[in-house]
Amino acid sequence: MENKIEMLHHEPLVYRLYDYLKDNHLGRENGIKKPELAKKFDITERELRKLTKEINTSPVLEKLVSTTHCCYMCNTKEECEQSIRNTYRTAITLLKKGKAMERKVGLNGQVKMKLGKYYKDVVETFSSEE
């Protein structure tokens, strides 16, 4: 008989939240408001964001959590795709905001940001043609 050791890749709270959403809030129609969900787990909304981010980026947890307007475990391919689109939309909006802030202080795209463990030059991508 082979002994199989199960490795935990996340904090127990991540698994508790994942299982809770999967069992109780599967699909957009069963969503729960973020403040209510945070209260249920006795955590802050900031901690909730950290946990849902961990679920959504985990290679071992197969489902996605949507956090747009409310929290729910995506039940269909369409819900997954919408959640992904919302994430990209937010990211692009933040990049545009950062670009506007650079221009405001005269950096002209000459800024470095930490990506991973190394600093990389930021390439000017989002700019209007003149």
Side-chain angles (χ1 to χ4, degrees), residues 72 74-85:
Y72 60 92
C74 295
N75 192 32
T76 65
K77 182 178 179 185
E78 291 77 23
E79 288 177 347
C80 289
E81 289 172 353
Q82 182 63 45
S83 183
I84 292 166
R85 275 192 302 275

Side-chain angles (χ1 to χ4, degrees), residues 17-89:
L17 177 63
Y18 182 83
D19 290 338
Y20 174 79
L21 289 171
K22 193 167 67 171
D23 294 342
N24 299 288
H25 300 286
L26 187 60
R28 183 180 179 143
E29 65 279 2
N30 297 310
I32 182 172
K33 297 290 181 191
K34 290 177 259 189
E36 186 180 334
L37 182 59
K39 186 175 181 181
K40 184 163 211 56
F41 281 84
D42 195 29
I43 58 175
T44 65
E45 287 185 57
R46 179 175 287 227
E47 290 169 309
L48 179 62
R49 281 193 305 274
K50 179 181 170 257
L51 295 173
T52 57
K53 176 187 173 227
E54 194 164 339
I55 290 169
N56 285 338
T57 58
S58 171
V60 297
L61 299 172
E62 65 182 37
K63 294 200 174 280
L64 292 179
V65 176
S66 176
T67 57
T68 306
H69 305 297
C70 63
C71 281
Y72 60 92
M73 186 72 62
C74 295
N75 192 32
T76 65
K77 182 178 179 185
E78 291 77 23
E79 288 177 347
C80 289
E81 289 172 353
Q82 182 63 45
S83 183
I84 292 166
R85 275 192 302 275
N86 289 339
T87 298
Y88 277 121
R89 189 177 300 119

Side-chain angles (χ1 to χ4, degrees), residues 6-24:
E6 183 179 328
M7 285 190 60
L8 295 179
H9 298 276
H10 305 288
E11 298 174 32
L13 188 54
V14 173
Y15 293 105
R16 282 184 44 224
L17 177 63
Y18 182 83
D19 290 338
Y20 174 79
L21 289 171
K22 193 167 67 171
D23 294 342
N24 299 288

